[in-house]
Amino acid sequence: HSGPTRLTIELIERLIGDYAINGKRVYVPGYSSGGEGTFDIVSRRPDLFAAAVPVCGIADVTKAGVMKEVPFWIFHGEDDDINAVTYSRSIVAALKAEGADPVYTEYRGMGHDCWHMAYDEPDLLPWLFSQEK
């Protein structure tokens, strides 16, 4: 694992051990490079996360098989000029090819700055909190 990712995983594990955190309900969201980090950390420790919510992220599609058991709700703006929407379309297709059923929301006419729309989705938190390992 890369240094920051390894340290983040160690921190999560320690927090679960030291505090009253339900280890079956650990969720990972991220926007932009944080969306990329969301895919990356799930690919390294899919057993740790109950669900993931990357927004405008980039994923290594060759790791879809490793990530297929983690529920994803993936968001992207159709007109994103920072991280092209094809990145999300590709990982959604790769996850589906592995038998996963990711939720995917693409905002028509929106660019990279669509995180507020994603986090305002009325079904997002109910969906997220319904996920459990």
Side-chain angles (χ1 to χ4, degrees):
H1 300 334
S2 70
T5 303
R6 179 181 48 78
L7 291 172
T8 302
I9 290 169
E10 288 175 9
L11 176 61
I12 293 168
E13 290 172 332
R14 184 169 185 167
L15 290 170
I16 291 169
D18 291 351
Y19 295 95
I21 295 172
N22 183 343
K24 293 181 178 187
R25 293 182 178 273
V26 177
Y27 310 115
V28 57
Y31 164 63
S32 192
S33 59
E36 184 174 351
T38 297
F39 286 116
D40 181 58
I41 201 166
V42 170
S43 74
R44 294 170 191 272
R45 284 294 307 278
D47 60 303
L48 189 57
F49 300 101
V53 183
V55 180
C56 299
I58 298 172
D60 180 348
V61 295
T62 66
K63 304 231 172 116
V66 175
M67 299 187 287
K68 69 182 179 182
E69 300 301 323
V70 177
F72 278 90
W73 190 336
I74 300 165
F75 295 92
H76 218 114
E78 174 190 43
D79 297 331
D80 191 333
D81 62 351
I82 308 263
N83 291 338
V85 70
T86 54
Y87 289 118
S88 284
R89 291 174 182 167
S90 295
I91 191 61
V92 167
L95 287 166
K96 286 183 176 183
E98 292 290 341
D101 190 23
V103 180
Y104 179 56
T105 301
E106 186 174 302
Y107 295 109
R108 185 180 176 107
M110 287 298 298
H112 192 66
D113 189 27
C114 69
W115 62 269
H116 55 91
M117 295 177 72
Y119 295 144
D120 281 346
E121 283 287 342
D123 294 332
L124 178 60
L125 291 180
W127 174 86
L128 186 65
F129 295 145
S130 73
Q131 307 303 321
E132 186 174 348
K133 290 189 301 173

